[in-house]
Amino acid sequence: MLKLFNKSILKENPIFVMALGLCPALAVSTTIENALGMGICTLFVLLGANIFVSLLKDFIPSKVRIPAYIVVIATFTAIVEMILQAFSPELYQNLGVFVPLIAVNCIILGSAEAFANKNKVGTSIVYALGQGAGFTLALFMIAFLRELLGTGTVTLLAIGTFDGVIRIPGLASAPIRMFGLAAGAFFVIAFLQAFLNWQTMRKKEK
C-alpha cells in the first residue's frame, strides 16, 4: 500500500508526470492559500469518487459507466462547493469558477476509470490519497515560486495580529510580475518538471 501511495504521488504525479489538471494549476496557483485550498478540495472529491466508483463498479452497466462516474464526481463537487460557501466564502470567491469545474477535472475521471473501476475499495482509497496529495504538493510548489517571484511575498495562515503575509526584502518592492500571469505559471511548471526529471535520471544512473 505504501509503495502504491508513493508511486501515485511521485512517479504518477498528476501535473509533473501525467500533465493533467493544468488548467487549475495555472489559474489558482497565484498564492499558496489558493493552491492548498484547491488541492484539498480536489483530494476530497477524488477520494469520495474513488470510494463510490469502486463500490458500485459491479452494478453500473458498461454503456453508462462514464455518465455514472460524472454524476458521482459532480455530487462530491457540489458538497465541496457548499462547504466552502458556508465556512470559507473568501476562499470560495478566490477560487471562483474552478471549484465547480472540479467535476470535469481529468485527474478525477481518469482515476475513477483507470483505477477505481478495476480495484477494491481499500486500494482505490490509497491511490486517491496519493493522487490528491501529489496534486496538492505540485500546486503548493508552483504557488510558492509564483508568489515568491511574482509578488515578493509568502502567504501563510493569519494568527493573531500576524496577517499571514511574509514580505521578502527586495522582491516585495520589485517583483517579477510575469510570474503572476499564466505565462509565468508555464515557466514554473516547466522548470519544476525539468528539475524532477533530472533528479530521476540521476537516481537511475547511480
Side-chain angles (χ1 to χ4, degrees):
M1 287 293 187
L2 183 60
K3 186 177 180 180
L4 174 63
F5 181 76
N6 291 332
K7 179 184 176 182
S8 57
I9 291 178
L10 302 173
K11 293 183 180 179
E12 295 183 7
N13 187 278
I15 293 178
F16 296 136
V17 178
M18 296 191 289
L20 299 176
L22 292 180
C23 286
L26 296 174
V28 306
S29 61
T30 51
T31 67
I32 294 173
E33 182 182 10
N34 290 348
L36 290 178
M38 175 57 72
I40 293 170
C41 290
T42 304
L43 191 154
F44 175 83
V45 177
L46 186 59
L47 182 61
N50 268 29
I51 291 172
F52 271 77
V53 168
S54 184
L55 286 172
L56 300 174
K57 64 181 184 295
D58 297 328
F59 304 98
I60 300 175
S62 58
K63 291 182 179 180
V64 295
R65 190 175 69 249
I66 300 301
Y69 295 168
I70 293 174
V71 170
V72 172
I73 295 168
T75 300
F76 281 98
T77 302
I79 293 172
V80 163
E81 195 171 359
M82 289 187 288
I83 291 173
L84 279 181
Q85 285 179 318
F87 297 101
S88 187
E90 185 177 349
L91 178 61
Y92 176 77
Q93 188 174 7
N94 290 341
L95 296 178
V97 70
F98 289 96
V99 176
L101 283 179
I102 292 175
V104 292
N105 192 318
C106 47
I107 297 172
I108 302 171
L109 183 58
S111 178
E113 170 65 14
F115 197 90
N117 182 46
K118 302 171 184 176
N119 291 275
K120 295 181 180 179
V121 177
T123 311
S124 299
I125 289 174
V126 173
Y127 186 78
L129 289 173
Q131 285 280 283
F135 182 66
T136 304
L137 178 62
L139 282 181
F140 172 79
M141 294 169 67
I142 296 166
F144 176 79
L145 289 177
R146 287 188 69 191
E147 185 179 359
L148 179 67
L149 298 173
T151 63
T153 62
V154 175
T155 304
L156 305 173
L157 290 174
I159 301 174
T161 57
F162 175 56
D163 63 358
V165 179
I166 300 174
R167 292 165 180 81
I168 310 302
L171 271 177
S173 57
I176 308 171
R177 302 286 183 190
M178 182 196 70
F179 285 100
L181 306 175
F186 272 117
F187 275 110
V188 171
I189 292 173
F191 171 79
L192 289 172
Q193 192 171 31
F195 176 76
L196 293 173
N197 288 340
W198 175 68
Q199 289 281 48
T200 302
M201 290 175 62
R202 283 189 62 190
K203 288 181 180 179
K204 288 182 179 179
E205 289 174 357
K206 290 180 179 179

